Amino acid sequence: MKIYLDGKFVDESEAKISVFDHGLLYGDGVFEGIRVYQGNVFRLEEHLERLEYSAKALLLKMPWSRKEIADATMETCRQNELMDGYIRLVVTRGVGDLGLSPWLCPVPSIFIIAGKIALYPAEHYTTGLSIVTVPTRRISSAALPPAVKSLNYLNNILAKMEARQAGALEAIMLNDQGYVAECTGDNIFIVHKGEIITPAASQGALKGITRSTIMAIAEELKIPLKEADMTRYDVWNADECFLTGTAAEVIPVVKLDGREIGNAKPGPVTQRILEAFRRRVLVEGTRL
Ligand code: PMP
């Protein structure tokens, strides 16, 4: 595999970052996960815009234009002949000393990996996931805005471990007010009496690119959709539930905290959304 690292393509075995890089020492950096479908990079502009917003939030000045990053992303796919897969794009603060001071890291690093990802076993896309609510709360935006896609994923990792301890593959994370924020790596939607509902990003969710795609699809299919506060009770009593993310795509949820959702099978609205999503990713996107 060829990795793009600071302007060059290098072999995987040569793709190395300094132990003094603050991305490693402090999680000081930002990233994106992007999909390519049949040679079309899905919503590349939106991903690069979110990357810029995340970097801005961390006062991390990226010395590359959006076009340069886009070209490097596309070229990484071409170098690896990746027509269908998952791209990880990472920007770190760069090499500094052992103190926190980001201003002592003069040059950020960028690397791009074009590979594959399978977040959940394939059968769950037809049978649905059984998930749990975990004790670890989503970080408050007063501490670090959850909309920033930073390299610090410890909050999500703790929740993921708690899910695993409970025998589940994914977890709902509540915010500090006790409202549903999102899952460890996905946004959440429920369907209730024909309406699709998702927590507002201000409740602690990442502004998912898949989430916004689902919003566009719902509008096209004329299925009402709103952002609203959501509790575990709302999810238990929903007719349907599904999660969205670049890696996960659209995956049904059929159980939460031991309560069956609807009839414990992926529901008709979820199926329609999932099918529309699968069609859309093939036609939208930037051609390699
Ligand atoms: N929430 C979190 C915490 C995530 O890590 C992700 C995956 N990037 C998402 C939601 C979904 O976002 P997207 O659809 O942009 O991949």
Side-chain angles (χ1 to χ4, degrees):
M1 185 190 277
K2 290 277 183 212
I3 312 289
Y4 178 87
L5 176 60
D6 293 326
K8 294 196 195 73
F9 286 98
V10 293
D11 268 344
E12 198 175 324
S13 59
E14 302 294 312
K16 304 231 168 86
I17 285 270
S18 164
V19 293
F20 290 95
D21 191 300
H22 280 211
L24 173 64
L25 286 176
Y26 296 118
D28 187 356
V30 293
F31 77 102
E32 280 298 318
I34 307 165
R35 280 257 184 192
V36 51
Y37 293 97
Q38 297 188 0
N40 293 313
V41 183
F42 189 65
R43 298 210 164 191
L44 181 58
E45 280 297 310
E46 282 97 323
H47 280 287
L48 297 181
E49 181 180 68
R50 188 171 66 183
L51 184 78
E52 289 165 11
Y53 290 166
S54 297
K56 187 171 186 176
L58 301 187
L59 296 165
L60 197 171
K61 208 163 165 19
M62 296 195 292
W64 321 281
S65 67
R66 189 183 294 184
K67 173 148 194 322
E68 281 172 313
I69 303 179
D71 289 347
T73 306
M74 310 270 274
E75 191 52 31
T76 310
C77 293
R78 285 188 214 109
Q79 291 274 332
N80 291 285
E81 292 173 13
L82 188 81
M83 298 295 277
D84 284 279
Y86 177 85
I87 305 158
R88 176 59 58 87
L89 164 47
V90 181
V91 174
T92 77
R93 185 76 68 174
V95 172
D97 67 14
L98 289 179
L100 286 180
S101 313
W103 53 89
L104 298 180
C105 307
V107 192
S109 254
I110 180 168
F111 61 88
I112 306 170
I113 306 166
K116 298 271 179 192
I117 198 165
L119 208 57
Y120 303 112
E123 70 261 23
H124 291 297
Y125 287 83
T126 43
T127 58
L129 282 175
S130 170
I131 66 173
V132 290
T133 312
V134 291
T136 293
R137 297 285 173 107
R138 192 75 179 103
I139 42 164
S140 133
S141 61
L144 173 65
V148 176
K149 202 163 165 59
S150 83
L151 291 180
N152 186 338
Y153 253 58
L154 281 176
N155 181 225
N156 314 58
I157 287 168
L158 286 176
K160 185 104 187 165
M161 288 199 286
E162 288 164 352
R164 187 181 158 89
Q165 283 166 354
L169 293 175
E170 183 53 293
I172 284 189
M173 299 182 77
L174 306 176
N175 65 18
D176 50 9
Q177 263 99 51
Y179 289 106
V180 172
E182 59 177 346
C183 293
T184 69
D186 317 306
N187 290 112
I188 184 164
F189 291 77
I190 58 172
V191 182
H192 188 60
K193 298 191 194 300
E195 189 176 35
I196 303 178
I197 307 163
T198 192
S202 58
Q203 291 293 8
L206 186 79
K207 286 186 186 165
I209 310 283
T210 322
R211 177 181 181 272
S212 73
T213 307
I214 299 312
M215 288 172 160
I217 289 174
E219 195 170 344
E220 254 175 43
L221 297 179
K222 300 197 167 38
I223 306 172
L225 183 149
K226 69 174 184 202
E227 295 182 9
D229 292 349
M230 189 185 286
T231 63
R232 297 163 74 200
Y233 175 89
D234 297 325
V235 185
W236 297 336
N237 294 304
D239 302 316
E240 304 179 31
C241 176
F242 60 91
L243 312 181
T244 68
T246 298
E249 301 177 293
V250 178
I251 184 154
V253 173
V254 293
K255 213 186 229 190
L256 171 64
D257 304 328
R259 281 86 161 173
E260 290 184 348
I261 298 172
N263 63 359
K265 291 197 175 63
V269 177
T270 305
Q271 300 281 15
R272 276 183 78 198
I273 294 280
L274 196 139
E275 279 158 26
F277 177 79
R278 293 211 165 122
R279 277 196 302 275
R280 198 173 179 119
V281 295
L282 298 180
V283 294
E284 234 189 60
T286 315
R287 190 94 206 127
L288 285 179

